Amino acid sequence: MISDYPFLLVDIERCERNIADMAIKAKNAKLSFRPHFKTHQSRAIGRLFKKYGVDKITVSSIGMAEYFASDGWCDITIAFPFIPHTAERVNALAEKINLNLIFSSPRNLLAALDVISAKIGVFIEIDVGQNRSGILPEDTRTQALMLNLIADKSNFSFKGFLTHAGHSYSARGKSEIEKIHTEALTRLAKLRAFWKEQYPDIIISYGDTPTCSVADDFWGISEIRPGNFVFYDTMQLGIGSCNVSQIAAALIVPVVDVYPEKQKLIVHGGAVHLSKEKTAINGIDCYGLVSRFNNKVWDEPTPGAYVKSLSQEHGIIQYENGSLDDLKPGDLLAILPVHSCLTVDSMGAMYDFDGNVYDVLSKNNNHEA
Amino acid sequence: MISDYPFLLVDIERCERNIADMAIKAKNAKLSFRPHFKTHQSRAIGRLFKKYGVDKITVSSIGMAEYFASDGWCDITIAFPFIPHTAERVNALAEKINLNLIFSSPRNLLAALDVISAKIGVFIEIDVGQNRSGILPEDTRTQALMLNLIADKSNFSFKGFLTHAGHSYSARGKSEIEKIHTEALTRLAKLRAFWKEQYPDIIISYGDTPTCSVADDFWGISEIRPGNFVFYDTMQLGIGSCNVSQIAAALIVPVVDVYPEKQKLIVHGGAVHLSKEKTAINGIDCYGLVSRFNNKVWDEPTPGAYVKSLSQEHGIIQYENGSLDDLKPGDLLAILPVHSCLTVDSMGAMYDFDGNVYDVLSKNNNHEA
């Protein structure tokens, strides 16, 4: 089936269930569902979303927009502030599909005015607390400045405000996530109210995986854009966004050596495969949870076992109570990655239980785009 | 020249100087020089080493060994404990070149006995303090057990003991590195003395970038295998292995937005490009240092500027005293990565100042190997 280890295995059934659950939630809450495709970066996984009525998507780069446009997606938001050097490619793509860009400040917007000639949809990026990029929801003066610039460009069609409450990633548990969610929605509702008269059809675009997974109420929001939920991962488990049976991707690694006296084992699966992202599970920093693998599917994580450290190619697994003492070199284990987005990007390909390969765009292929 | 950003730029002159310096150091210390090629993973960069007399190399996977063997390298050590599922490829490659494997325990060695039929050179992995894999230098009983197993296999030729003092990566400053170095050499000298009568031509293979960069004396050592020194990086700068003018690789990123009031700017260059490795510089955790870029070469790092956090595609740069206030979206900056090995692997390609592209194996290509 697969010729080389480690490889990234995807449970397509779980993946589809995750998609279905989120699509149903969006429908029930009367939200437009524009999932972020940066997690899977795969045309084949993307096609699964069509079964659940998805016809518009979010991406994080022009290369990713081109990649999915070439597979028939014709309504795409690039949810990354405009980058001047992409102007030519943006103009070309916007001739073919409905393309939305986001602008994070007047400065960022000014950089587009002279170089974007195609018709595009425009979002102003709002910062509801992540403190990364965008305008504060209360800063209506700067918003007005940007709206005036947008109104003067006949090929720019103002769509609304877009935000990513990425600070939800530092939450632990449902109540912390809901607190962030409620605060964000309150601030966005005021923003919407402020501009509603002038822009009655304003879109408020929102949605990271933690809030979209946990919350049921999305008052004032028009569309959600979660991405990570398609696979979830150990970080989302730690945040409280998912349970372990929703995690749909695992890195399959061969055991290289076992040190029962240290309750430690070495696998071939390192930072170049999993990425160096870590998260706290039960108060212990880890680079992934560890499951038995029976050559087809993976089990529930082994209690007390976790990836303690990573070198470039080595993974060091710590475990308790002899739970993995029986393993020997060549046996396979499944590691539930901390951040599936980064693991997918690192691996550059995925496999399903039937051995089918799912190509991934990944930034390596961007060089050829 | 280059069509897409971010891209990884290599200063070939610095790179060659780094190679020359290490080759001269090895020659002066009468050491065999077997550089690790996992940092650059590039055939073209590999060829630069030939100018400095290098004719044997170290790699970290069978895929990497095949890749460099196909470019004419015919003496390769895979410095990663044997992985049973690679047996067929190991046998095939060992028919063509001198191939050395390492074994980290009797258990790891036993997994090879029935499946490795080709003639190979054999190293026993020794743990001099990294506490990752291998046998303690003082554990001569386990070494004897492994040596007996090796002696019984007519196609296994015992070469010696191999170690990686990777705990030098947690050192700060020359004296801490030298302390680790001296302790490792003392333990290895005793190991060598113990086995010298029985194995007079024993090889002691050693060498990580910090110790090989800082130390001048390598008594009792036969060969060194540093890898990272070819480019160095911000982590090595923090450890004290290099100075800033030896760092030979930088990620060129476009500015996306500037927030002068927060002394912060956003670039397109995130965890999928730099990797999520961080290091402390002047007591502050950072994901890279920041230099001005004049479209050809990069300057010294801007004092007080560093990559504070990374999302998948975003880099957030913090700076002091208005030093980067003049930047605008579309301007280019150079980020000196924390861990060049991981950045090279993430990017999958490098460019020199003349725009020539250097392909990188990276694990993505392993799928086709």
Side-chain angles (χ1 to χ4, degrees), chain A residues 38 81 104-105 107-108 131-132 134 256-259 262 264 276-277 311-312 346-348 363-364, chain B residues 38 81 104-105 107-108 131-132 134 256-259 262 264 276-277 311-312 346-348 363-364:
Chain A
K38 80 181 167 70
S104 51
S105 71
R107 192 183 271 105
N108 183 251
N131 192 24
R132 186 172 66 184
V256 170
D257 211 342
V258 192
Y259 298 86
K262 294 180 179 172
K264 177 179 107 166
K276 204 93 197 230
E277 189 90 79
S311 306
Q312 183 163 343
S346 290
M347 293 305 295
K363 72 280 150 199
N364 292 308
Chain B
K38 78 182 170 70
S104 51
S105 72
R107 192 183 273 106
N108 182 251
N131 192 24
R132 187 172 64 183
V256 170
D257 211 342
V258 191
Y259 298 86
K262 294 180 179 175
K264 177 178 107 167
K276 203 91 196 234
E277 188 90 78
S311 305
Q312 182 163 343
S346 289
M347 293 306 295
K363 72 281 149 199
N364 292 310

Side-chain angles (χ1 to χ4, degrees), chain B residues 114-364:
Chain B
D114 290 342
V115 292
I116 297 297
S117 53
K119 283 181 71 163
I120 56 159
V122 169
F123 283 90
I124 293 176
E125 189 185 12
I126 296 294
D127 176 10
V128 287
Q130 185 182 23
N131 192 24
R132 187 172 64 183
S133 52
I135 307 294
L136 292 181
E138 296 77 19
D139 186 1
T140 50
R141 205 171 125 174
T142 304
Q143 293 155 23
L145 178 65
M146 293 176 75
L147 286 166
N148 287 338
L149 290 168
I150 293 164
D152 284 348
K153 281 279 287 181
S154 60
N155 56 321
F156 281 24
S157 166
F158 178 60
K159 296 286 182 187
F161 298 101
L162 179 147
T163 193
H164 174 67
H167 50 314
S168 66
Y169 276 66
S170 61
R172 281 290 176 280
K174 200 170 171 173
S175 71
E176 280 185 38
I177 299 170
E178 281 179 340
K179 186 165 173 262
I180 287 166
H181 179 65
T182 304
E183 189 194 303
L185 261 53
T186 306
R187 296 174 76 184
L188 291 169
K190 285 184 196 159
L191 171 71
R192 184 188 191 122
F194 187 91
W195 291 108
K196 189 145 199 194
E197 200 171 322
Q198 197 171 343
Y199 300 98
D201 299 325
I202 207 167
I203 294 170
I204 305 288
S205 177
Y206 173 83
D208 47 285
T209 284
T211 62
C212 289
S213 300
V214 164
D216 288 310
D217 202 342
F218 294 83
W219 38 279
I221 300 301
S222 327
E223 78 171 15
I224 55 169
R225 309 182 322 279
N228 178 279
F229 74 95
V230 67
F231 298 144
Y232 287 113
D233 50 34
T234 295
M235 188 186 285
Q236 297 294 341
L237 186 71
I239 293 169
S241 318
C242 68
N243 60 54
V244 82
S245 66
Q246 291 175 288
I247 298 178
L251 190 74
I252 308 304
V253 299
V255 172
V256 170
D257 211 342
V258 191
Y259 298 86
E261 71 287 3
K262 294 180 179 175
Q263 304 209 98
K264 177 178 107 167
L265 59 83
I266 310 292
V267 298
H268 182 215
V272 295
H273 309 105
L274 285 165
S275 94
K276 203 91 196 234
E277 188 90 78
K278 65 183 171 188
T279 196
I281 295 290
N282 301 326
I284 298 173
D285 269 348
C286 86
Y287 295 93
L289 295 177
V290 181
S291 294
R292 298 277 180 159
F293 179 63
N294 62 20
N295 277 315
K296 178 83 179 173
V297 300
W298 61 87
D299 296 343
E300 296 272 296
T302 302
Y306 66 99
V307 183
K308 188 180 182 182
S309 64
L310 294 175
S311 305
Q312 182 163 343
E313 306 263 354
H314 297 73
I316 290 97
I317 292 174
Q318 196 70 47
Y319 58 92
E320 283 174 4
N321 309 324
S323 56
L324 300 174
D325 279 356
D326 61 306
L327 291 169
K328 58 185 190 310
D331 288 345
L332 297 176
L333 282 172
I335 297 177
L336 304 184
V338 167
H339 194 162
S340 57
C341 311
L342 298 186
T343 304
V344 168
D345 191 86
S346 289
M347 293 306 295
M350 302 174 279
Y351 297 84
D352 66 18
F353 292 155
D354 298 321
N356 300 308
V357 64
Y358 293 70
D359 284 328
V360 167
L361 171 68
S362 103
K363 72 281 149 199
N364 292 310

Side-chain angles (χ1 to χ4, degrees), chain A residues 33 83 98 108 114 118 132 138 153 236 242 275 283 332:
Chain A
F33 183 32
I83 310 172
N98 292 327
N108 183 251
D114 290 341
R132 186 172 66 184
E138 296 77 18
K153 282 278 288 179
Q236 297 295 340
C242 68
S275 93
L332 297 175

